[in-house]
Amino acid sequence: MGQRPGKREAVSATAHSAGRGQIPDIDWKRVASLMLLSRALDALEETRLVPEKKVFYQFSARGHDLAQIVLGTLLTHRHDAICGYYRSRPILLALGVDPADALGSSMARAGGYSDGRDIGAVFNYPNAHGPSALPMCGGVGAQYTPTAGWAQAIEYREKVLHEKEYEGAIAVVLGGDASVATNGFWSALTMAATLKLPMLFYIEDNGYGISVPSTLQTPGADIAANLASFNGLHILSGDGTEPDEVADLTGRAVAHVRGRGGPCLLRLRVPRLEGHSFQDTQAYKSKETVEAEWARDPLPKLRALLDERDWNQLAAEADATVEEARERAEARGIADPDDIARHVFYDGESVQAEGGQWAQGYVAPQSSDAPVTSGQRINMVTAIRRTLEHELSINPKVLVFGEDVGPKGGVHAVTLGLQDKFGAGRVFDTSLSEEGIIGRAVGMALAGLVPVPEIQFRKYADPACEQLNDCGTMRWRTNNHFAAPIVVRIPGGFFKCGDPWHSQTNEVQFVHSPGWKVAVPSNAEDAVGLLRAALRGNDPVIFFEHRAMLDAPSARRPYPGDDFVLPFGKARMVREGADITLVTWGAMVERCEEAAQGHSADILDLRTLMPWDRAAVLASVRRTRRCLIVHEDSISAGFGAEIAATVASEAFFDLDAPVSRLAMPDIPSPHNPVLMEAALPSVENIRAKIEELIG
């Protein structure tokens, strides 16, 4: 469609290169039908369901709806995907979401997006027959980097795996003007532009982030103008309320990305015709501002394209569809409370609809929990590298990436030589953004790959916490519609010296994040078995590599074989005794072994903290009648507290002494080696505590 006379878009100097002959015809009757349906859903919620307290969170899409629906009609590739935010229901309707699912989700009923587990506006849509809507996150800006990961997965599957079905597919992320101030936006923008990813940034600029004007989100309130010189980014900008202009600009944006011209940012100015949410009165807007926004309502402009008879018929059909959807939604009832703990992890039976290699029919190779015990002893660095190398060689969907993992081989040399063997398409460096590293891994996993991102040090994971949390809860909050099984390798802990930035452990944070399995191997053999289990599994895993153990002589073992897999949640009995149980993991295993010399002690290496082997701990404590828990993390609310509480609760009458803990005081790791050792549980302190408890 051409522009109307007198209407002129604001575009960058490069915007015209896409041309105007690539715009597909728009079925305006279908657009009108979907827009009237969206308006009817908004009206029903606002006038009936919210006042009746059947909907708790309501976000109107009025003003945003026309542009979204036009975009949705242009997403026709089977492997296109969108990730949006709370005002994105119109595009979901265009992708084919059942209005009863949309309403039922807003009403927190059974079925729908989440079975009542998440806010109704927080959607997901696994679509076996067309473009999917990736799981939305509740945090503003959290949608950007997973979408970049999906775009990179498209490139990988098309160019490295040579899967022709991915040719021409694109990733689309929707965001408001306030979201352009977030870390996720800038991280994704950098990735998309530097890697020339097939990604469309679709910015709906309504001028406000709740009440904060867009002048405080980006200078001059125009992200398109501010990015005009951003290398590698195609920019378009215009009015999102004019039907022909929307069709022109959106069509050109989609054609540019689909034609592999690189990423595009399309900014459309739209009015937000209601408050941020139903509870928002918009008292911060003047009467003149509100009136000016309603004067830009795209609905009358769309109506002018259809004759009155067609329009009235479509309006009546929309009202009838919504009423019928309401009846179906209200008939669904509430999900069974007894099932609320299901789908935190893969249950062994119900594979998610989308995301991860298991959803695409993956069958794990034959494995064994019996290690090969002969051969040269190798350190943990070599063991982890050899495991990654083998899994890369047998599974083309495995990718290893992070800061410095390529030619340098990682700051701990774990990935040394892997890029030479498997190429930069499979083992590659990333920009310095942990948000981007983990977010892209999530998107890649959603597209069926097996991402193995590395975070250089435990403390460096902090900027990625939002993505880590969202990844872990994905299976549960989508009621098993989606999962993103990624394997995050994180070195950490002390090594010769300490400091607050490189020596943190704090593994308990991941244990407390629902949906994550957590491995903390203390030796080369266990590292192989647990890492291979993670790479072939169907849940996200934090794989903690202790820096002091990477080359420690005590951690060396023969390579246990290419088929060796260890189950999570099974502790290792390091040695057996009768007088006391020592429960530990990671670098403290070595210290406990030395401290227990001369005493009859069970030493249990948990190996994994989520899940952890409760049965082994309780069985040992009931036999020895004493328990000492030793860990490197700080003592307050460390994982040792969970173990102590379990023992006190379930084996209290078997104890001959109080459950005791040794751990770091509640301080960061000191840098000077003498100060560090004073803070860590030492061999001498552990031995003294053993003797105290036995005595």
Side-chain angles (χ1 to χ4, degrees), residues 576-582 598-602 620-621 623-628 656-657 690 693-695:
E576 291 189 68
D579 294 337
I580 190 170
T581 298
L582 274 66
H599 296 285
S600 182
D602 272 5
S620 175
V621 170
R623 184 168 50 80
T624 68
R625 309 183 73 82
R626 293 171 178 83
C627 182
L628 173 61
D656 286 342
I690 291 172
L693 292 172
I694 291 177

Side-chain angles (χ1 to χ4, degrees), residues 279-478:
Q279 292 78 12
D280 180 14
T281 63
Q282 300 200 92
Y284 45 85
K285 291 182 179 179
S286 68
K287 178 182 177 182
E288 292 74 21
T289 297
V290 172
E291 290 175 349
E293 288 180 328
W294 274 100
R296 297 181 59 229
D297 183 0
L299 189 70
K301 302 175 183 181
L302 178 61
R303 182 170 186 169
L305 300 181
L306 277 70
D307 64 50
E308 186 173 357
R309 181 177 178 180
D310 285 346
W311 183 268
N312 291 338
Q313 181 180 345
L314 292 174
E317 291 172 354
D319 290 339
T321 298
V322 167
E323 181 58 25
E324 187 266 343
R326 182 198 61 77
E327 292 176 357
R328 285 194 288 135
E330 295 209 48
R332 290 181 175 185
I334 307 300
D336 187 348
D338 291 341
D339 290 337
I340 198 62
R342 289 192 67 201
H343 303 314
V344 176
F345 296 104
Y346 171 56
D347 60 12
E349 298 177 1
S350 306
V351 177
Q352 62 274 11
E354 196 165 331
Q357 58 182 345
W358 286 56
Q360 299 190 350
Y362 171 77
V363 177
Q366 183 177 359
S367 63
S368 170
D369 60 0
V372 175
T373 56
S374 60
Q376 179 183 359
R377 290 164 61 89
I378 59 175
N379 62 15
M380 277 183 67
V381 169
T382 306
I384 295 169
R385 183 192 304 131
R386 188 165 172 181
T387 306
L388 290 172
E389 181 178 1
H390 178 72
E391 297 303 308
L392 281 161
S393 69
I394 66 170
N395 188 350
K397 293 183 179 178
V398 174
L399 300 92
V400 176
F401 53 93
E403 296 163 22
D404 301 301
V405 305
K408 181 176 175 61
V411 295
H412 301 95
V414 173
T415 59
L416 190 64
L418 293 183
Q419 189 179 84
D420 291 339
K421 184 166 185 176
F422 296 100
R426 300 192 63 197
V427 180
F428 53 89
D429 289 328
T430 66
S431 52
L432 203 161
S433 168
E434 285 76 20
E435 151 90 23
I437 292 170
I438 300 302
R440 87 165 75 182
V442 171
M444 288 177 173
L446 289 171
L449 303 181
V450 185
V452 189
E454 177 185 297
I455 301 295
Q456 281 188 347
F457 297 94
R458 166 62 190 88
K459 179 69 174 65
Y460 295 1
D462 289 355
C465 279
E466 181 173 44
Q467 291 299 332
L468 290 165
N469 290 334
D470 292 346
C471 178
T473 61
M474 184 180 295
R475 185 190 299 276
W476 181 87
R477 61 186 165 86
T478 67

Side-chain angles (χ1 to χ4, degrees), residues 380 384 457-459 487-494 502-507 510 517-522 527 530 541-547 549-550 585-587 607 609 632:
M380 277 183 67
I384 295 169
F457 297 94
R458 166 62 190 88
K459 179 69 174 65
V487 182
V488 185
R489 296 177 38 252
I490 307 181
F494 70 91
H502 303 86
S503 304
Q504 187 183 75
T505 54
N506 194 22
E507 64 271 10
F510 302 120
K517 291 186 173 180
V518 181
V520 283
S522 65
L530 294 172
V541 173
I542 299 291
F543 188 81
F544 195 78
E545 302 169 3
H546 200 290
R547 297 166 64 217
M549 295 291 101
L550 287 174
W585 56 90
R607 301 198 284 201
L609 300 184
E632 182 181 341

Side-chain angles (χ1 to χ4, degrees), residues 82-96:
I82 71 158
C83 196
Y85 64 118
Y86 38 80
R87 222 175 298 283
S88 298
R89 184 164 64 188
I91 195 170
L92 293 179
L93 297 174
L95 295 184

Side-chain angles (χ1 to χ4, degrees), residues 649-660:
S649 174
E650 300 186 32
F652 179 78
F653 293 106
D654 298 294
L655 293 169
D656 286 342
V659 181
S660 190

